[in-house]
Amino acid sequence: MWGPWSPLALDRANARFAGGDVAGAIVRYEDVAKGWHTPGTRAEAWRRSGMLRRGQGDSRGAVRAFEAAAELAPEAAERGEVLVELALLYKHALKDPKSCAEAFEQAALESASGNEDLAAAGCWVDAGEPERALAALDRATTRP
């Protein structure tokens, strides 16, 4: 019932969160993420842990969780979404425009929209790297 393919794998952590125990939920999510569950379940557990850590003001812990989630996510769309979360964390909480741009560029590799490259261009401008900003803008405008 609690095996690696169980849809209930995250239920204990969800219950902790619903009961107001954010710290307990983070511990439970990370237990699932470090466990023997499927990569998709582990990625989702890391993503939820990252979101809670970000909400608690633990930006570095959130970065580690989002990076782990992006590495494990089996679908490109999921990886892209997590990388966008990571980029926004770098941009707003950590004020690190270079890491922001790099995360948006990684997200762009998982997406066909070009929106992530546009966001990366803005971060490259903030980082004082106009050449890289122009390259990102060029990639964004040449996508179909």
Side-chain angles (χ1 to χ4, degrees), residues 77-137:
E78 294 169 23
R79 286 189 300 275
E81 289 173 9
V82 171
L83 288 166
V84 166
E85 291 287 340
L86 180 61
L88 293 172
L89 183 63
Y90 279 126
K91 181 175 185 165
H92 299 294
L94 297 171
K95 309 293 187 218
D96 183 349
K98 182 178 179 189
S99 295
C100 172
E102 290 169 347
F104 271 129
E105 285 183 344
Q106 286 180 320
L109 296 174
E110 307 294 344
S111 171
S113 73
N115 293 334
E116 295 84 358
D117 276 320
L118 284 174
C123 291
W124 284 125
V125 168
D126 292 343
E129 298 199 34
E131 297 84 14
R132 293 184 84 172
L134 287 172
L137 186 59

Side-chain angles (χ1 to χ4, degrees), residues 33 39-40 42-50 62-75 78-80 82-83:
R42 292 175 60 211
E44 180 61 17
W46 277 123
R47 186 185 70 79
R48 291 180 189 191
S49 170
V63 165
R64 287 189 301 276
F66 286 143
E67 286 175 345
E71 186 176 311
L72 287 168
E75 301 292 326
E78 294 169 23
R79 286 189 300 275
V82 171
L83 288 166

